[in-house]
Amino acid sequence: MLRSLSSFDAYGKTLDDFRIRTNAGAVVSIVSTVIIIFLLLSEFSHWITPEWIPEMVVDTREAQTVTIDFAISLPHLPCFMTSLDLMDATGESHSDVEHNVRKVRIMRTGEEIPNQGVEKSTVGSRDEKKQELVTEKKACGDCYGGVPPKSGCCNTCDDVRQAYQRKGWAFNNPEKIPVCVEEGYVNVIKTQKNEGCRLEGHITTPKIFGRIHIAPGRTFDFGNRHVLDLSTFSEVEWDFTHSIDRLRFLGPEDAADPPTGMVTGKPFPLEGFKMSVKPKDDQHMQNYIEIVATEYHYLDGRKTSATVYGASHYRLGGKDVEATNRIPGLIFDYDYSPMLLTYKEKRVPFAHFVTDICAIVGGVFTVAGFLDGVLFKADRIIRQKNRIGKLH
């Protein structure tokens, strides 16, 4: 029975006495063994290292709020002249946003002015000094022809300015308004005119198309229009030279950074961006941002999310502001992609690993055997011709 079983042996053996061993065959065997070892180690390393499989799907998650985290330096624009406005696709508009936004006074070189801290309240804002003045007066201040607030009183310079805005008037004579003189409105303008400003903080917005507008002067809504009041600073030459130190859009559960190596290129391309302009150049600069949500699913069941974006810049450049008739400012138009980019961590199945090993070993030995056979035949032919003298 064992004899009949041996008839199925597909790998017939030859006697050692009939084997011919050559130096060329030894070299081929050594080289092929080294190649096999190298390929096996490479395949093993690939097998034990998980790989990330990207997939693009429609984002069906519930609408979320997004926190815009930013730090933008404008070394040639003083804080008292800087306002940050926020608008979105629903028509909602917020002028001169101050909640969770700080204005840091900086030098023209970008360094923070020492011993002055954060300029959270600048010209046209309520600060402790203004509140002390209101407490001392305890009287209803005059609005000087403007439309008074619901309280009917204008007890600060900011109240007078807003009353003028509601009336549709330009606020261009603060030095003639006693409450503004008492608060040092004009003095602040003179003191800070050669400084710069860094805007930093975070703003929470709905996850819809929106716009951030960093504008000079004061902005307000008049009817259905978004109005920019530059009358107080009519003699100022605008210079929107700026650098973006930080700009990110973070969901409620987003990590600050995506996992290392998962994003080709920069996940936040506007960070580190700088632009220098001249006062006579066009001061209207626009940035278009497309935001994409990403999720990362790990083998152990963990899941993290992050938000990345792509951006492009637009500016006419080299043209006079009056000739372009465009409102000066730094604008960020942002929108959210309806797609969700998911990365799933997966490991190569063990069966694939075994298959690849067999393919490596069998393939290398087959090629090596073919090469050894060619070298052996070439050697025999050369020896035969040399023996009969045909090579001389």
Side-chain angles (χ1 to χ4, degrees):
M1 183 176 179
L2 293 177
R3 291 182 179 179
S4 60
L5 181 62
S6 62
S7 62
F8 292 97
D9 185 4
Y11 306 99
K13 313 305 186 295
T14 58
L15 297 175
D16 290 340
D17 295 340
F18 295 96
R19 291 179 182 272
I20 301 177
R21 301 181 185 276
T22 62
N23 292 331
V27 172
V28 171
S29 299
I30 294 173
V31 172
S32 62
T33 302
V34 172
I35 293 175
I36 288 174
I37 293 174
F38 172 76
L39 293 178
L40 288 179
L41 292 176
S42 176
E43 188 64 29
F44 179 74
S45 175
H46 175 68
W47 176 66
I48 64 174
T49 304
E51 58 182 354
W52 290 92
I53 308 299
E55 184 180 10
M56 186 75 76
V57 298
V58 177
D59 191 355
T60 58
R61 299 177 300 177
E62 295 182 2
Q64 300 174 331
T65 57
V66 175
T67 299
I68 305 174
D69 187 24
F70 62 91
I72 302 172
S73 298
L74 301 107
H76 298 277
L77 196 69
C79 285
F80 70 81
M81 292 167 48
T82 308
S83 65
L84 187 146
D85 306 328
L86 188 66
M87 294 147 275
D88 60 39
T90 63
E92 188 172 353
S93 176
H94 301 277
S95 300
D96 199 8
V97 178
E98 292 186 347
H99 183 64
N100 292 330
V101 176
R102 300 187 301 166
K103 296 180 181 178
V104 182
R105 294 166 58 189
I106 60 175
M107 303 178 187
R108 292 292 174 89
T109 58
E111 299 175 357
E112 183 176 339
I113 295 177
N115 303 323
Q116 297 198 39
V118 176
E119 185 69 10
K120 188 172 182 180
S121 299
T122 57
V123 175
S125 303
R126 297 180 183 270
D127 59 15
E128 294 179 359
K129 180 179 178 181
K130 297 176 186 179
Q131 295 299 333
E132 290 174 1
L133 289 171
V134 174
T135 304
E136 290 175 2
K137 291 179 181 180
K138 295 183 179 179
C140 185
D142 189 4
C143 291
Y144 301 93
V147 178
K150 293 181 180 180
S151 64
C153 304
C154 294
N155 293 323
T156 67
C157 190
D158 190 39
D159 290 340
V160 177
R161 181 179 65 85
Q162 293 180 8
Y164 272 46
Q165 291 176 355
R166 286 189 288 269
K167 186 75 172 181
W169 292 352
F171 188 64
N172 55 6
N173 58 348
E175 69 280 355
K176 297 181 180 179
I177 300 175
V179 67
C180 292
V181 175
E182 292 176 3
E183 292 177 2
Y185 191 101
V186 179
N187 291 334
V188 171
I189 294 177
K190 294 179 180 179
T191 303
Q192 300 182 15
K193 66 179 182 179
N194 293 320
E195 297 177 357
C197 189
R198 183 170 70 245
L199 292 168
E200 58 183 29
H202 57 274
I203 305 171
T204 301
T205 66
K207 192 178 178 180
I208 55 177
F209 171 81
R211 166 178 286 188
I212 301 173
H213 185 195
I214 299 176
R218 293 298 173 208
T219 56
F220 59 96
D221 295 324
F222 186 70
N224 294 325
R225 294 178 298 171
H226 190 67
V227 181
L228 181 62
D229 182 9
L230 301 175
S231 57
T232 310
F233 319 110
S234 57
E235 299 180 358
V236 176
E237 282 190 327
W238 310 113
D239 185 345
F240 267 85
T241 295
H242 64 277
S243 63
I244 303 173
D245 307 314
R246 185 176 69 254
L247 182 60
R248 304 186 179 190
F249 299 79
L250 305 175
E253 300 179 355
D254 282 355
D257 296 284
T260 305
M262 293 305 301
V263 179
T264 303
K266 294 182 177 180
F268 314 109
L270 285 180
E271 291 191 355
F273 176 78
K274 298 180 179 180
M275 177 175 285
S276 298
V277 295
K278 298 178 181 179
K280 292 297 183 181
D281 288 348
D282 175 35
Q283 301 291 321
H284 182 93
M285 284 156 281
Q286 204 139 1
N287 299 273
Y288 299 95
I289 302 173
E290 183 71 21
I291 305 167
V292 180
T294 59
E295 283 187 349
Y296 305 89
H297 301 260
Y298 294 87
L299 283 174
D300 57 8
R302 291 182 297 115
K303 182 178 74 173
T304 61
S305 59
T307 302
V308 298
Y309 62 81
S312 60
H313 320 279
Y314 174 75
R315 174 174 169 264
L316 290 180
K319 295 187 177 182
D320 192 278
V321 177
E322 294 180 0
T324 59
N325 195 28
R326 287 147 60 90
I327 297 176
L330 180 59
I331 297 174
F332 299 90
D333 286 325
Y334 59 89
D335 198 5
Y336 297 89
S337 170
M339 308 303 291
L340 174 65
L341 181 59
T342 63
Y343 290 89
K344 295 183 179 180
E345 189 180 29
K346 292 186 177 180
R347 193 185 299 277
V348 177
F350 182 73
H352 289 187
F353 173 64
V354 174
T355 302
D356 291 340
I357 288 178
C358 294
I360 290 172
V361 175
V364 173
F365 267 122
T366 301
V367 174
F370 173 76
L371 180 61
D372 179 62
V374 171
L375 293 176
F376 179 71
K377 286 188 177 181
D379 182 66
R380 289 186 63 184
I381 293 174
I382 293 174
R383 288 176 181 274
Q384 288 177 358
K385 289 185 176 182
N386 186 44
R387 190 180 306 117
I388 61 178
K390 288 187 175 183
L391 293 179
H392 297 285

